[in-house]
Amino acid sequence: MIILGISGLYHDSAAVLLKDGEIIAGAQEERFTRVKHDEQFPVEAIKFCLKNAGISLNQVDAVAFYDKPLLKFERILESHLAIAPKGLATFISSMPVWMKEKMFFKKLLKDHFKKIGDVNWEKTKLLFPEHHLSHAASSYYVSGFQESAILTIDGVGEWATTSICYGKENTIEVKKEINFPHSVGLLYSSFTYYLGFKVNSGEYKLMGLAPYGDENSAQTKFYIDRIKESLVSIKEDGSFQLNMSFFKFVSGKRMSNDKKWETLFRLKRRKPESEINQSHCNLALAIQKVTEELVVNLAKVAKRITNSDNICLAGGVALNCVANGVLERLGVFKNHFIQSAAGDAGGALGAALAADKIYFENHSKTNFTPYLGSGFSNDEIEAELKRFGAVFKKEENIFEETAKIIDDQNVVGWFQGRSEFGPRALGNRSIIGDPRSKEMQRKINLKIKFREDFRPFAPSVLKESVSKYFQLEDSSPYMLLVHPVIEEIKGDRTKGDISVQLNRKNCTYPAITHVDNSARIQTVSEADNPLFYKLIKAFGQLTGCDMLINTSFNVRGEPIVNSPSDACRCFMQTEMDVLVIGDFILKKQDQPKWEGDNQKIKLD
């Protein structure tokens, strides 16, 4: 049984292929098109999945799309009718697209498939699980749990924005839902917009900015009170309601009613790329704290309804690793699971799994790894490097040599194995460095990633060593949990605005410890990622430090690198010192001069 799951046409399009219940391949469209968060139908991702599996499109038994377009259209119609005549211009502008494409979605989808190959639609089933079922399935069916509470929270699917389900063996039963427009995801994204970041991509920045806020300041407390008094009403039963007079995401093209927000918070909307001040930090912290309260309340309801010891999380809000860490430390559930692509890209995985487990009643166990994307042999890499005109050498002791390079305070691009599925680099398409360095965070942020200097970097740590550094006894393989560092290695919490806090002192591992003495942790085991494990192990044996900085191998505004040529371009366009790709090492000083679009070593 071969099932193709797809997501797309909103943001983060992706494709996943299952064969007899096993996940064979999965990738986001952006990795191939090089358009970040690409929303287009995932033609290239589908082609990759089929090629990787060695099958043709006409061998696919079922195609599962991650939501129900007609039900979503119903929600858009009803939402606009409910507020008419407000939002009339937006409604009119969106209708031609819906009438031409989404109303006839099956035809649209089949037309897209013609770009890939022939499909016998009489043989191949076309399935449309609901959006939140796709999210729930993407986590529960690969969790290893026999039964579990399932909490999915995002912006919006068809109608649901939040769902509490109970999974048992092959079944998933919806227990409680909260519907549009009341949405934790849209609430958080409204603050993303108001603080000058891009919706559907800047939420990570908002989460990274929040710890620079002062939790004890009168301003932060004022902001929290204003949010809970005027924007979101939190009920005793765990539900919530947004005050829609403050939001524009139904009636307009903006997230918030800027004038009302400026009056409410006594703070003007921050313009993108403008200076960040302490008030922005405090507002970011306020919405993060409210979000954590909402997530914990919903989890407690899920516990009460299901009485399970296990919980699976999914949806875009499940990528809020700070909230995930708070929930885990509270101990509401004994066991937690979140797969690496918890957002909409993971909907492709969930759609395929829902088809496999529910529609086709396949009871076999499905194992999960995030390393589902493109991979290249040493021969393929060497051929690409030669075509690129790069200067390189093959290294027999790649792990020990790279460990020495990192210890010498070099920033290294690390390209190994198959690329990761989801937004995080987990050791195969990573930029890595020394977590002990006082200068490394700023160097990588400003000279390599070209991004804001307040953004933290994650540590990748040997699983068996995690408690040496962090207040965590369990694993965090997908970098989706934030926990404090242990007391012995905490730094002083510097008082003052964000510029002062960026220069704090007395931190043992300054490059991976955030300003609030927390870290977004990835635990690495030999079973999960043997190559990355060997590198960290070699660095630990050399230095006594069993962890590395790990950030995604890309520059700001671009997707994570996918191919050797992507890696070479990123390497040459930045101040990265060394590229380690397969068994080959490239040092920046050895390379031909880079001359932009006309440079000598550009690949045709």
Side-chain angles (χ1 to χ4, degrees):
M1 177 67 66
I2 298 171
I3 302 172
L4 179 65
I6 51 178
S7 63
L9 305 181
Y10 180 50
H11 61 87
D12 294 301
S13 296
V16 170
L17 192 75
L18 295 187
K19 185 176 181 181
D20 298 329
E22 180 185 356
I23 308 170
I24 302 298
Q28 290 130 279
E29 185 73 357
E30 66 168 19
R31 304 297 170 85
F32 305 94
T33 63
R34 311 307 300 156
V35 177
K36 195 164 187 177
H37 304 297
D38 197 344
E39 66 183 24
Q40 299 302 311
F41 190 82
V43 170
E44 298 305 319
I46 292 170
K47 288 179 180 178
F48 157 73
C49 288
L50 295 171
K51 182 179 179 181
N52 182 267
I55 64 172
S56 61
L57 193 55
N58 61 17
Q59 292 176 269
V60 173
D61 296 293
V63 172
F65 189 74
Y66 80 134
D67 69 11
K68 293 183 178 294
L70 287 179
L71 196 56
K72 184 177 286 188
F73 182 50
E74 174 190 286
R75 185 254 299 168
I76 290 172
L77 279 175
E78 289 194 21
S79 298
H80 278 87
L81 287 172
I83 60 168
K86 291 182 181 179
L88 182 61
T90 304
F91 178 73
I92 291 172
S93 67
S94 66
M95 278 307 98
V97 176
W98 275 99
M99 296 304 294
K100 183 179 178 181
E101 297 183 356
K102 309 291 177 67
M103 277 289 287
F104 304 99
F105 187 78
K106 286 186 179 181
K107 180 182 183 303
L108 174 70
L109 187 146
K110 291 177 181 179
D111 286 344
H112 280 301
F113 270 103
K114 290 177 183 177
K115 304 171 188 175
I116 304 167
D118 295 325
V119 183
N120 180 355
W121 291 109
E122 292 184 3
K123 166 188 169 288
T124 303
K125 296 285 185 184
L126 187 53
L127 306 172
F128 295 90
E130 288 192 12
H131 187 90
H132 273 250
L133 175 59
S134 294
H135 274 320
S138 76
S139 188
Y140 171 62
Y141 288 129
V142 294
S143 67
F145 300 145
Q146 290 297 307
E147 59 80 33
S148 180
I150 311 168
L151 177 59
T152 66
I153 315 172
D154 65 1
V156 60
E158 295 89 1
W159 277 103
T161 66
T162 304
S163 69
I164 295 171
C165 300
Y166 180 63
K168 186 172 183 180
E169 297 177 349
N170 263 43
T171 64
I172 293 177
E173 181 184 357
V174 178
K175 294 291 189 180
K176 186 181 180 71
E177 286 188 334
I178 297 173
N179 287 337
F180 184 84
H182 309 295
S183 165
V184 178
L186 292 174
L187 173 66
Y188 200 84
S189 290
S190 295
F191 280 85
T192 302
Y193 159 82
Y194 197 73
L195 285 167
F197 304 123
K198 188 176 180 181
V199 173
N200 290 329
S201 65
E203 284 75 11
Y204 300 127
K205 299 180 184 182
L206 182 61
M207 186 170 56
L209 183 64
Y212 290 95
D214 183 351
E215 189 171 357
N216 297 316
S217 74
Q219 187 182 53
T220 301
K221 293 175 181 176
F222 167 76
Y223 287 155
I224 291 173
D225 288 344
R226 284 299 174 103
I227 292 169
K228 293 166 75 169
E229 289 168 1
S230 300
L231 297 187
V232 56
S233 174
I234 303 174
K235 311 296 184 182
E236 290 185 5
D237 65 355
S239 63
F240 58 90
Q241 284 187 313
L242 302 187
N243 181 348
M244 292 310 298
S245 68
F246 282 86
F247 298 91
K248 287 281 191 179
F249 55 76
V250 176
S251 61
K253 294 183 178 181
R254 301 195 311 274
M255 295 300 294
S256 63
N257 185 324
D258 293 356
K259 290 184 178 180
K260 295 192 74 168
W261 280 47
E262 287 175 2
T263 301
L264 181 68
F265 295 118
R266 303 170 192 167
L267 178 70
K268 285 190 174 295
R269 177 180 174 249
R270 176 179 168 262
K271 294 181 180 179
E273 307 302 327
S274 66
E275 183 180 355
I276 293 173
N277 62 39
Q278 194 57 38
S279 294
H280 299 134
C281 300
N282 290 341
L283 186 58
L285 178 60
I287 187 54
Q288 177 62 37
K289 290 297 180 183
V290 172
T291 299
E292 290 165 15
E293 181 179 346
L294 289 164
V295 170
V296 168
N297 287 350
L298 290 163
K300 288 179 177 178
V301 175
K303 175 66 175 181
R304 187 175 69 247
I305 291 173
T306 66
N307 197 33
S308 177
D309 288 334
N310 309 314
I311 187 167
C312 297
L313 298 170
V317 177
L319 293 171
N320 191 309
C321 46
V322 179
N324 295 340
V326 169
L327 178 60
E328 186 173 76
R329 288 193 297 278
L330 285 173
V332 178
F333 291 87
K334 290 181 181 178
N335 306 302
H336 303 73
F337 181 81
I338 316 164
Q339 54 89 6
S340 63
D344 272 12
L349 172 63
L353 288 168
D356 185 53
K357 308 301 182 188
I358 300 172
Y359 186 85
F360 291 109
E361 299 182 339
N362 179 7
H363 287 257
S364 66
K365 181 181 178 182
T366 298
N367 296 313
F368 180 74
T369 173
Y371 307 107
L372 297 168
S374 300
F376 301 85
S377 68
N378 274 321
D379 287 345
E380 290 173 315
I381 291 169
E382 185 173 13
E384 282 291 281
L385 294 178
K386 286 178 178 178
R387 288 182 61 213
F388 210 89
V391 177
F392 59 91
K393 71 169 185 175
K394 190 170 185 178
E395 177 59 56
E396 296 297 326
N397 300 311
I398 197 74
F399 307 108
E400 292 78 5
E401 184 62 26
T402 304
K404 291 176 185 175
I405 290 169
I406 298 168
D407 187 38
D408 287 339
Q409 301 307 294
N410 292 294
V411 179
V412 176
W414 179 256
F415 184 108
Q416 305 291 333
R418 295 179 67 175
S419 61
E420 300 90 339
F421 183 54
R424 308 294 192 200
L426 299 171
N428 283 11
R429 301 289 184 274
S430 295
I431 295 172
I432 51 180
D434 188 343
R436 303 167 299 171
S437 169
K438 293 181 179 179
E439 304 301 325
M440 196 59 66
Q441 180 193 11
R442 183 160 291 185
K443 178 179 179 180
I444 297 176
N445 264 333
L446 300 182
K447 295 187 176 183
I448 296 165
K449 299 282 282 188
F450 305 126
R451 68 183 198 180
E452 301 87 352
D453 60 356
F454 67 81
R455 295 177 66 181
F457 291 115
S460 291
V461 57
L462 297 182
K463 183 179 177 181
E464 61 266 28
S465 300
V466 65
S467 60
K468 287 171 53 179
Y469 307 101
F470 307 105
Q471 295 178 36
L472 174 66
E473 298 293 334
D474 206 349
S475 62
S476 176
Y478 309 134
M479 210 183 281
L480 287 170
L481 294 173
V482 166
H483 285 292
V485 301
I486 61 172
E487 292 293 330
E488 293 86 341
I489 63 174
K490 281 184 176 180
D492 295 335
R493 183 67 193 260
T494 306
K495 298 288 186 181
D497 65 20
I498 186 171
S499 62
V500 174
Q501 293 184 65
L502 282 167
N503 294 303
R504 69 203 179 110
K505 300 176 181 178
N506 303 321
C507 183
T508 310
Y509 299 99
I512 55 87
T513 306
H514 207 6
V515 67
D516 61 348
N517 284 304
S518 70
R520 175 165 48 91
I521 304 160
Q522 180 198 8
T523 55
V524 181
S525 72
E526 191 167 14
D528 288 339
N529 192 330
L531 298 182
F532 199 38
Y533 179 89
K534 287 177 182 178
L535 175 63
I536 302 172
K537 187 86 169 176
F539 186 74
Q541 290 171 343
L542 179 66
T543 66
C545 176
D546 291 339
M547 62 178 166
L548 294 170
I549 295 171
N550 178 10
T551 187
S552 56
F553 196 158
N554 65 301
V555 296
R556 182 183 182 187
E558 291 188 359
I560 296 173
V561 299
N562 194 49
S563 68
S565 57
D566 294 337
C568 285
R569 288 193 183 94
C570 187
F571 172 57
M572 291 303 298
Q573 289 172 339
T574 67
E575 294 186 37
M576 206 179 306
D577 301 301
V578 178
L579 172 61
V580 181
I581 179 166
D583 288 342
F584 305 100
I585 294 180
L586 291 71
K587 295 183 178 180
K588 181 62 67 62
Q589 69 264 25
D590 297 337
Q591 305 309 312
K593 184 179 179 182
W594 180 266
E595 297 175 355
D597 289 341
N598 298 316
Q599 55 80 36
K600 178 181 177 182
I601 62 173
K602 185 178 179 184
L603 186 66
D604 292 335

